[in-house]
Amino acid sequence: MSTNENILSIFALGGLNEIGKNMYAIEYADDIVIIDCGNKFPDESLLGIDLIIPDLSYLIENKDRVKALLVTHGHEDHIGGIPFFLKKLNVPVYATRFTLGLIELKLKEHKILRESKLVEINASSKLEFGNISVEFFKVTHSIPDCLGIIFHTPEGNIVHTGDFKFDLTPEKSDERSDIHRMAEIGNEGVLLLLSESTNAERPGLTPSEQMVSDHVEAAFIKAERKIIISTFASNVSRVQQVINAAYKTNRKLALLGRSMVNVVDIAMKRGYLTVPDGMLIDQNEINELPPEKVAILCTGSQGEPLAALARLSTGNFRGVEVLPKDTVILAAGPIPGNEKGITSIVDNFYAIGARVIYGSGSTSGMHVSGHGYQEDLKLMLTLMKPKYFIPIHGELRMLHHHRLLAESVGVEQGNTFIINNGDVVDIENGVPRQTRQIPVGNTYVDGGDVGNVGDFVLRDRKQFAEDGMLIVVLTISKADGKLLSEPETISRGFMDGGFSELRKKVNQLTTKTVNELQAENRNERKVMKRELKKSIQQHIFNQLKKKPMVVPIIIEI
């Protein structure tokens, strides 16, 4: 990308003006180093799409220059795209011990673990990639083993914070942010800071995990019968709080949901969770114990319809039943867009007669964000003292709010770059400029198909979902192009009542169109299909103001 070897380039393939699929790159001369490779989940408009991952086309074009993938932490929006990345660019992946455990799980599922090179790092690690040397520093987030990254380059030091907050009383003391190291980095000089912006609109400091511990324990003490508590599987601090509360109230704990079972297993084996002997029970043992001696920790806090919590709310989880006076706790804040699913689940539990504790962390006391509020962000900026600043990991309004925060603590106006995915910030002789772009977009994962679902396919799916489909089957003579029998019209997702009358009119219109084309000697299959679609769609729109997908099928005999 660089026009000469003395230019340092920074760009994002994901994570700017969006939440999810984070992926950033540092490039100097012949070396490209990647930071994170996440995914994000589709909204309702992307019918049939399972995941969205970054567009890797630029990296594939320059694959000989891509030296490494550095991973800040183990959340899906930072590691979910790694299996797809490694299938195209098999470079070493550097991550902390816990993060590697989560990555290994994904690579096993994709059957590429054996050929992948995974390298364990920690906050003291030092790496060299040509002209770029790398160091790390510890940050606190809502998952263990999180790192920020310092890139030492010929142009100056570039810092990427990862996702962070400042919590002086985290669940485990060794998860505190290394504020002293951050101050040292700032004193050494930071040319450019890339810092996350998720909570840039929220004033104050992020509440401490200690608040959640107290509320979880109080809820366990108050509960009369069985407890069902749901949170993000990756929030190991929250899991530890549930384990501690269960122990103090003499309850056994069952885990429901594949991701919960997998993450807890990794965290236990790698020493990130402390679980008393005999506490964990199998789901088959839940009904063998008195309800006041049981707690269930499960997935589904974001209203996912197939997750354990949703199935429990509808009575569709085999062998486990929620009964009146059971306590249901949602120990996670709702991600924007998930409110409808969560509300439905809460209503279902109320209909059962359960006691439900839910809502944002500030109202329920059962969750605090892992992302820094405004005062956290200002503290990071104050410690790093960057000359230039790029707010990342946030939607456009969040990036703008973060810019204002940066200016309030000393970053000069005009020294903040608010950019989109694909925009390139080039630094030459210590001066950055943003004048060019690389092509980027979304890559859609549809089952086992990666990158082959485009806008045309999605448009057709949307049309079919909204207006249904008409299939018109006609049999014509191979010799002269004449119809050999009456057309057959089939409706799928279009209409039921009154369809027989419409079918008759569509069949008449089809016959008329075919005869006219045959008389004009324009009976090629491509022309016939085009004209049939045009005439049938126009007729249906004139009559019903609907636009179903019309699919002519021509059988030549």
Side-chain angles (χ1 to χ4, degrees):
M1 178 199 297
S2 301
T3 55
N4 68 66
E5 63 180 18
N6 296 320
I7 293 180
L8 174 69
S9 299
I10 297 104
F11 58 96
L13 299 171
L16 292 177
N17 295 354
E18 63 179 350
I19 300 292
K21 73 174 180 67
N22 290 279
M23 191 177 206
Y24 310 91
I26 305 289
E27 178 178 359
Y28 191 88
D30 291 328
D31 305 308
I32 300 175
V33 180
I34 307 301
I35 310 159
D36 294 335
C37 183
N39 66 22
K40 70 176 182 178
F41 295 100
D43 59 28
E44 295 176 353
S45 68
L46 298 175
L47 300 172
I49 300 301
D50 300 313
L51 293 174
I52 305 170
I53 61 174
D55 179 355
L56 303 176
S57 55
Y58 175 80
L59 299 180
I60 293 170
E61 289 172 10
N62 295 274
K63 61 183 179 180
D64 293 337
R65 301 166 59 212
V66 178
K67 298 300 191 289
L69 170 61
L70 311 181
V71 185
T72 59
H73 66 282
H75 278 145
E76 282 294 311
D77 57 339
H78 294 259
I79 68 169
I82 290 178
F84 307 99
F85 174 89
L86 291 179
K87 288 175 184 177
K88 300 291 186 181
L89 298 127
N90 193 11
V91 300
V93 178
Y94 296 84
T96 54
R97 190 162 181 261
F98 181 71
T99 305
L100 281 184
L102 299 177
I103 294 171
E104 286 174 7
L105 203 61
K106 291 184 172 297
L107 301 187
K108 282 180 184 176
E109 292 177 358
H110 284 258
K111 297 181 173 58
I112 59 171
L113 177 59
R114 188 170 295 178
E115 57 264 37
S116 301
K117 183 179 180 182
L118 305 180
V119 183
E120 183 178 325
I121 57 173
N122 56 46
S124 301
S125 297
K126 296 182 180 182
L127 307 173
E128 298 281 344
F129 305 105
N131 290 293
I132 302 172
S133 62
V134 180
E135 294 185 272
F136 304 90
F137 57 97
K138 182 181 285 292
V139 295
T140 305
H141 188 37
S142 56
I143 190 171
D145 257 7
C146 300
L147 296 175
I149 308 174
I150 315 123
F151 296 90
H152 301 286
T153 78
E155 287 289 339
N157 293 339
I158 312 297
V159 174
H160 184 293
T161 65
D163 288 0
F164 73 93
K165 65 177 179 178
F166 290 99
D167 187 349
L168 300 181
T169 55
E171 190 60 36
K172 289 192 172 184
S173 59
D174 61 357
E175 290 296 329
R176 288 194 188 98
S177 295
D178 192 345
I179 297 175
H180 297 293
R181 178 68 182 122
M182 294 179 197
E184 289 176 0
I185 296 164
N187 288 334
E188 292 168 5
V190 175
L191 178 65
L192 175 68
L193 175 70
L194 297 93
S195 182
E196 73 128 327
S197 311
T198 309
N199 278 334
E201 299 171 284
R202 302 179 72 171
L205 281 163
T206 312
S208 171
E209 284 289 337
Q210 187 60 54
M211 181 196 79
V212 179
S213 292
D214 296 341
H215 281 88
V216 170
E217 186 175 327
F220 269 62
I221 292 170
K222 189 176 180 180
E224 299 176 20
R225 290 176 45 86
K226 188 163 70 255
I227 296 172
I228 299 93
I229 184 165
S230 181
T231 190
F232 297 110
S234 61
N235 194 336
V236 175
S237 294
R238 193 79 71 252
V239 174
Q240 186 67 65
Q241 290 162 346
V242 172
I243 291 168
N244 295 345
Y247 179 72
K248 289 180 180 179
T249 54
N250 197 27
R251 292 175 183 266
K252 300 292 186 182
L253 184 65
L255 306 175
L256 301 184
R258 186 171 67 120
S259 61
M260 184 66 72
V261 172
N262 288 339
V263 172
V264 168
D265 183 57
I266 291 169
M268 288 175 62
K269 287 179 178 177
R270 301 195 175 210
Y272 295 90
L273 273 178
T274 303
V275 184
D277 292 340
M279 168 169 281
L280 294 181
I281 60 172
D282 189 78
Q283 70 179 64
N284 298 325
E285 301 175 69
I286 292 172
N287 296 327
E288 298 175 6
L289 295 170
E292 66 272 13
K293 298 295 182 184
V294 175
I296 296 170
L297 179 59
C298 66
T299 56
S301 62
Q302 296 305 305
E304 303 94 318
L306 299 179
L309 190 68
R311 291 159 58 201
L312 287 168
S313 78
T314 56
N316 290 322
F317 201 106
R318 188 172 62 182
V320 183
E321 188 177 6
V322 179
L323 298 172
K325 295 188 178 181
D326 284 347
T327 296
V328 177
I329 303 170
L330 275 69
I335 295 172
N338 294 341
E339 294 88 353
K340 185 177 179 181
I342 295 170
T343 299
S344 176
I345 288 172
V346 170
D347 284 346
N348 289 342
F349 282 124
Y350 270 116
I352 292 170
R355 174 175 175 258
V356 190
I357 302 172
Y358 67 99
S360 65
S362 58
T363 56
S364 70
M366 294 296 175
H367 175 69
V368 294
S369 178
H371 302 274
Y373 290 10
Q374 289 181 351
E375 297 305 313
D376 302 69
L377 301 182
K378 287 195 285 188
L379 178 54
M380 178 64 79
L381 285 156
T382 302
L383 290 167
M384 292 295 174
K385 297 180 288 191
K387 185 173 182 181
Y388 298 100
F389 177 51
I390 301 178
I392 59 171
H393 197 306
E395 295 167 353
L396 186 58
R397 66 186 186 281
M398 302 169 188
L399 306 183
H400 276 279
H401 276 284
H402 205 172
R403 173 182 62 82
L404 296 176
L405 294 176
E407 291 173 358
S408 75
V409 295
V411 176
E412 291 185 16
Q413 287 190 10
N415 282 10
T416 297
F417 294 84
I418 295 180
I419 57 178
N420 293 307
N421 293 329
D423 289 347
V424 182
V425 174
D426 291 320
I427 302 175
E428 186 175 15
N429 299 323
V431 179
R433 65 184 187 278
Q434 196 281 303
T435 58
R436 59 198 183 88
Q437 297 175 317
I438 61 169
V440 297
N442 290 322
T443 298
Y444 299 122
V445 179
D446 183 0
D449 192 359
V450 180
N452 292 322
V453 178
D455 292 338
F456 289 113
V457 173
L458 294 173
R459 183 195 63 193
D460 286 347
R461 289 180 182 178
K462 188 171 186 290
Q463 184 181 358
F464 179 52
E466 290 178 348
D467 294 311
M469 177 168 64
L470 277 183
I471 303 169
V472 182
V473 182
L474 51 155
T475 306
I476 63 174
S477 168
K478 205 173 204 178
D480 56 16
K482 292 182 179 180
L483 277 171
L484 298 178
S485 61
E486 184 181 352
E488 181 180 1
T489 302
I490 304 164
S491 170
R492 290 291 181 266
F494 174 49
M495 64 183 297
D496 292 322
F499 180 63
S500 59
E501 185 64 29
L502 178 68
R503 179 194 289 119
K504 187 184 300 182
K505 292 182 179 178
V506 169
N507 288 349
Q508 291 171 355
L509 182 59
T510 300
T511 302
K512 178 174 179 289
T513 302
V514 171
N515 289 339
E516 287 176 353
L517 290 172
Q518 200 268 340
E520 296 171 8
N521 200 26
R522 296 174 59 217
N523 52 1
E524 300 94 338
R525 292 185 63 169
K526 185 184 292 186
V527 173
M528 190 177 292
K529 284 186 176 184
R530 185 183 67 234
E531 294 300 319
L532 283 170
K533 287 175 68 173
K534 181 179 176 182
S535 58
I536 293 170
Q537 284 177 332
Q538 187 62 52
H539 173 76
I540 292 172
F541 183 76
N542 291 341
Q543 297 297 314
L544 302 172
K545 296 298 182 284
K546 293 183 178 182
K547 296 180 179 180
M549 182 185 298
V550 176
V551 181
I553 298 176
I554 300 172
I555 301 171
E556 291 182 320
I557 297 177

